[in-house]
Amino acid sequence: MCAYVLVAEDDRGQAEVLRRYLTAAGHDTVVVHDGSAALEQARRRRPDLLVLDVMMPGLDGLTVARVLRAESEVPILMLTARASEDDLLAGLDGGADDYLTKPYSARELTARARALLRRSRGSQGKETVLLVGALAVDVGRHQVRVDGEQVECTPGEFAILAAMAGQPERVFTRAQLLEHTNGVERESVERSIDVHVLNLRRKIEPQPKRPARLLTVYGIGYRLTAGTV
């Protein structure tokens, strides 16, 4: 699975290690060392995957993720030395699709990268459109429409919505939804699903604080329904 991967890492030694591993895995890999350069390079040539360090000079990784997420659906793998749950949730809320804490092995990173690339490309060539009331999830085009209007979703958000739209009214646990968003074994928290759901409600619900489509099943998880709006 050859892809164009952009690595933004200010530690030049670590960046070179990542470049070698990703290149050995068959990817066209470009490395930059600060947030402004990452933003410029990503806009010049959209990557298939962005590996983004949080702590960088100039623009930090969270800022870069938020800006790019508003412009595209590029998969983002965030790297950070901060390991707290709040930091993880901040990264996901900012648009990251996966989160890897330092120290990590380059093999683990390449596995995460492979999973994100597989997930973002897995729907290519399919023509399936999943309909749940006024919500339409176009698997082939990776698009979501509500009442005919397109809404932008991150790859992680789309993976959750596509899984649930494929089985409307089914109750999914957070652990089950986490499997759909990750694709590989990882250290994470199920609360990250709550962040994705919160963001999805802002996009697909007429009244996000009073959801009618993406419902909480207390003590279990979430279910997607046609709703009455």
Side-chain angles (χ1 to χ4, degrees):
M1 182 186 295
C2 181
Y4 166 46
V5 180
L6 176 60
V7 175
E9 166 64 76
D10 66 328
D11 184 324
R12 293 177 182 266
Q14 185 65 27
E16 177 60 18
V17 171
L18 296 179
R19 187 194 67 78
R20 290 178 180 176
Y21 267 81
L22 290 166
T23 300
H27 303 307
D28 176 12
T29 307
V30 172
V31 173
V32 295
H33 302 293
D34 63 74
S36 297
L39 195 57
E40 180 182 352
Q41 181 65 28
R43 285 170 166 170
R44 181 184 302 126
R45 179 187 173 192
R46 177 179 167 177
D48 297 306
L49 173 66
L50 173 60
V51 179
L52 183 63
D53 188 26
V54 171
M55 301 299 293
M56 291 187 295
L59 294 178
D60 62 30
L62 290 175
T63 301
V64 173
R66 290 191 185 99
V67 171
L68 288 178
R69 181 55 71 232
E71 300 175 357
S72 74
E73 297 178 358
V74 57
I76 298 173
L77 174 57
M78 196 79 80
L79 308 177
T80 183
R82 299 171 174 174
S84 76
E85 180 177 311
D86 286 342
D87 290 321
L88 184 150
L89 295 174
L92 293 173
D93 194 40
D97 299 288
D98 199 356
Y99 203 92
L100 196 57
T101 56
K102 301 178 181 180
Y104 55 83
S105 71
R107 289 182 62 189
E108 181 181 11
L109 183 138
T110 54
R112 299 281 185 89
R114 185 168 58 250
L116 283 172
L117 288 166
R118 182 171 59 244
R119 190 174 74 215
S120 66
R121 292 176 169 182
S123 63
Q124 292 182 3
K126 298 181 181 179
E127 299 297 329
T128 304
V129 178
L130 305 172
L131 299 175
V132 185
L135 176 69
V137 181
D138 189 328
V139 177
R141 294 180 176 84
H142 206 277
Q143 293 178 348
V144 175
R145 294 184 180 275
V146 180
D147 295 318
E149 297 294 324
Q150 184 171 338
V151 296
E152 298 296 328
C153 293
T154 69
E157 293 164 2
F158 185 86
I160 289 173
L161 205 54
M164 300 185 78
Q167 299 183 68
E169 302 296 343
R170 172 187 167 181
V171 178
F172 287 82
T173 67
R174 290 171 177 81
Q176 288 168 335
L177 292 175
L178 199 61
E179 286 296 315
H180 284 284
T181 62
N182 294 333
V184 293
E185 195 71 25
R186 55 167 286 176
E187 293 180 3
S188 186
V189 292
E190 292 180 6
R191 263 191 63 200
S192 63
I193 295 299
D194 296 338
V195 177
H196 286 311
V197 167
L198 180 63
N199 289 334
L200 280 169
R201 282 174 172 162
R202 291 169 181 161
K203 298 173 182 182
I204 70 171
E205 297 281 5
Q207 300 181 64
K209 292 184 178 180
R210 299 179 61 186
R213 295 181 173 119
L214 186 45
L215 306 180
T216 299
V217 180
Y218 292 98
I220 303 177
Y222 299 100
R223 68 184 175 93
L224 187 68
T225 181
T228 54
V229 296

